[in-house]
Amino acid sequence: MQNNEKFNRVSVVGLGYIGLPTAAVIASRGIDVIGVDVSEHAVNTINQGKIHIVEPDLDMLVQSAVTTGKLKASIEPEPAEVFMLAVPTPFTEGHKPDLSYIEAAVKKIAGVLEKGNMVILESTSPVGTTEKISQWMSEIRADLSFPHQHGENADIQVAHCPERVLPGYVIQELVSNDRVIGGISRKCAERAQDLYKTFVKGDCLLTDARTAEMAKLTENSFRDVNIAFANELSMICDQLHINVWELIRLANRHPRVNILKPGAGVGGHCIAVDPWFIVDSAPERARLIRTARQVNDAKPGFVLDKIRQVAEQFKQPKIACLGLAFKADIDDLRESPAVDITEQLITENLGEVLIVEPHIQTLPARLQKNNARLVSLQDAIDNANILVTLTDHTVFKQVKLNRLKEKVIIDARGVWEQE
Ligand code: SAJ
């Protein structure tokens, strides 16, 4: 069903990994989109039809949306029928959610709001945030009515529709994934659904705002808890001298068992963050979720200990760290346990650190030290004494195992484990 006629102008606030693809996809449906961001660099880049982040197929989509005049970026907000907020929600000291980006975005758009507009929060947020947004706006715009006070009769609709796209597949998943849409009132959810139906092929599932907030946190906590189970198993198996990869392969042959993969730790800005929002809201109850976070956060330290142990066998070892990205086949180094492990090795000066990351051209500043260099996979295999897999990039899996015979291997990602 095409509902484009219902929306002429949509504003997306925050033009990062979620906001920019969302803006471009909506623009591709023929709706005028005005993207707002605090970064002049991002705004200028987008207005030239280019992109400032890496995501497959996004460049072409943005270029065409800008060329046809459907997408425009700006520092300052402009009037629109819908405002979609896609700004970061990190945590501060003590794993407390930091809502300052949302608050700043809300204050920014409040001035241009008009009766009949809708505000949709896309950022992953603690339970209660959508209601807070309605509250913040009502404090600034006493001339308008909001749904936390006036329900179905409010001038402004406010809803939460958490993003759930997987980095690397964003353009595809933005369209194909089902969406959970939570309104402060039913009318808010229904109006938001009208917008999502213009570009989503998956189902739109309506609920209240609090349940939608919790649904997103639950999805990522589910994954975190399951990865923690795999990581804990890997550490138990190490102690018991059992090959964890073989063990998981065998256990997964049970029809109702599906264990995930152990790794060097859980990275990215979602799975390692979102469970803390649940813990913060219900600290007494969220025991399993908290423990899972702690288990996953402890895994990089375990991998480091393994490297220290084997490094002792050498006078001045060459240690190859394979992969810096937080997961396979992407270039995103943010919140990556692989970067933390590599940095620690460099700082401890255990030997020369050869870094292989095929998706980058230069090392991040924190790794640019005399005892470290970015090398090719070939160079690492030829020259390192110890090889550590920190990311399971496909290119690493293609290495012929007979080339690794003379090496000490710490395969934290199971890259070279075979059936
Ligand atoms: N990881 C493992 N073992 C596994 C699976 C993942 O160690 O078996 C690690 C990865 O290496 C990585 C981390 O977990 O370091 C997270 O990777 P991921 O692929 O599980 O997830 P993200 O962070 O890229 O994206 C997640 C997705 N959520 C779920 O799959 C439930 C995505 O759909 C969300 O939209 C995204 O978080 C988000 O923005 O919240």
Side-chain angles (χ1 to χ4, degrees):
M1 189 175 81
Q2 286 287 312
N3 293 311
N4 304 20
E5 66 281 2
K6 291 191 184 169
F7 298 94
N8 298 314
R9 197 166 153 87
V10 169
S11 176
V12 178
V13 184
L15 295 172
Y17 282 84
I18 302 300
L20 183 56
T22 305
V25 167
I26 296 177
S28 75
R29 298 299 186 270
I31 297 172
D32 285 331
V33 179
I34 163 104
V36 180
D37 202 283
V38 289
S39 157
E40 262 183 51
H41 168 68
V43 166
N44 293 337
T45 310
I46 294 162
N47 282 334
Q48 288 163 22
K50 298 186 190 138
I51 58 175
H52 61 295
I53 52 175
V54 179
E55 178 62 41
D57 302 330
L58 180 63
D59 49 352
M60 279 156 59
L61 207 60
V62 169
Q63 193 195 29
S64 123
V66 171
T67 314
T68 54
K70 286 286 158 197
L71 173 64
K72 174 179 106 165
S74 161
I75 295 274
E76 290 305 323
E78 292 179 17
E81 290 152 34
V82 186
F83 293 87
M84 302 172 86
L85 310 180
V87 294
T89 41
F91 57 58
T92 54
E93 287 293 304
H95 302 119
K96 294 254 161 228
D98 172 7
L99 301 185
S100 59
Y101 295 92
I102 296 188
E103 193 172 355
V106 166
K107 291 190 168 151
K108 210 166 182 180
I109 61 163
V112 297
L113 276 184
E114 290 167 13
K115 190 174 171 171
N117 286 176
M118 172 164 63
V119 177
I120 302 174
L121 174 66
E122 281 238 359
S123 318
T124 307
S125 302
V127 173
T129 308
T130 313
E131 287 157 0
K132 253 191 197 138
I133 288 177
S134 192
Q135 173 71 34
W136 284 330
M137 292 190 295
S138 70
E139 285 162 14
I140 302 171
R141 294 296 301 271
D143 55 319
L144 294 168
S145 63
F146 290 85
H148 69 287
Q149 295 161 322
H150 296 90
E152 304 273 310
N153 300 321
D155 292 334
I156 306 291
Q157 310 302 320
V158 186
H160 178 48
C161 182
E163 60 82 11
R164 17 165 49 177
V165 287
L166 198 66
Y169 300 87
V170 170
I171 302 300
Q172 194 179 316
E173 289 206 0
L174 259 179
V175 175
S176 62
N177 285 2
D178 295 341
R179 299 297 297 247
V180 175
I181 304 176
I184 294 189
S185 70
R186 185 74 187 177
K187 187 171 161 190
C188 296
E190 283 168 0
R191 181 80 179 127
Q193 172 179 237
D194 287 342
L195 175 68
Y196 284 97
K197 285 243 165 139
T198 63
F199 66 96
V200 169
K201 288 208 177 101
D203 292 336
C204 291
L205 310 162
L206 304 198
T207 182
D208 59 83
R210 294 174 74 85
T211 308
E213 288 160 345
M214 190 62 180
K216 171 59 196 267
L217 301 179
T218 300
E219 290 158 18
N220 281 355
S221 299
F222 173 86
R223 197 150 166 86
D224 197 43
V225 168
N226 280 282
I227 298 169
F229 182 78
N231 276 334
E232 186 165 290
L233 266 184
S234 72
M235 295 185 275
I236 294 169
C237 283
D238 181 74
Q239 189 179 320
L240 302 182
H241 307 293
I242 290 169
N243 180 326
V244 71
W245 306 100
E246 185 189 2
L247 172 84
I248 291 175
R249 250 189 334 261
L250 296 172
N252 280 350
R253 294 296 282 266
H254 184 286
R256 284 174 296 283
V257 174
N258 184 15
I259 303 167
L260 294 182
K261 286 176 69 185
V266 170
H269 10 270
C270 308
I271 295 195
V273 175
D274 303 351
W276 289 118
F277 294 175
I278 298 181
V279 175
D280 185 64
S281 297
E284 303 287 322
R285 296 281 177 206
R287 290 160 52 205
L288 180 63
I289 294 171
R290 179 195 286 107
T291 303
R293 272 289 64 248
Q294 289 164 342
V295 168
N296 284 334
D297 277 351
K299 192 66 198 286
F302 175 86
V303 174
L304 268 167
D305 275 344
K306 289 270 130 200
I307 302 171
R308 289 184 192 112
Q309 278 166 25
V310 297
E312 273 176 14
Q313 305 166 16
F314 299 88
K315 257 204 176 132
Q316 191 52 22
K318 287 194 163 115
I319 307 169
C321 291
L322 304 196
L324 288 178
F326 85 84
K327 65 177 192 173
D329 301 330
I330 59 168
D331 71 335
D332 194 343
L333 308 190
R334 296 173 306 164
E335 316 297 333
S336 173
V339 176
D340 295 339
I341 291 170
T342 306
E343 183 179 29
Q344 188 59 29
L345 286 178
I346 296 169
T347 308
E348 290 180 23
N349 208 4
L350 293 180
E352 190 183 355
V353 180
L354 309 179
I355 302 168
V356 184
E357 180 43 82
H359 299 91
I360 61 169
Q361 264 75 52
T362 44
L363 284 176
R366 56 194 266 223
L367 303 184
Q368 288 183 13
K369 298 283 151 56
N370 290 339
N371 57 343
R373 59 194 169 93
L374 186 63
V375 301
S376 67
L377 180 57
Q378 175 76 40
D379 188 347
I381 293 172
D382 289 347
N383 296 309
N385 310 104
I386 303 167
L387 294 168
V388 190
T389 63
L390 297 176
T391 310
D392 45 348
H393 290 316
T394 305
V395 283
F396 301 157
K397 293 183 191 159
Q398 290 157 351
V399 172
K400 297 256 180 317
L401 295 191
N402 61 7
R403 293 179 65 199
L404 306 174
K405 270 191 193 137
E406 310 294 313
K407 311 289 172 185
V408 176
I409 291 171
I410 300 175
D411 193 1
R413 289 280 181 183
V415 168
W416 295 315
E417 284 302 325
Q418 293 188 326
E419 294 281 337

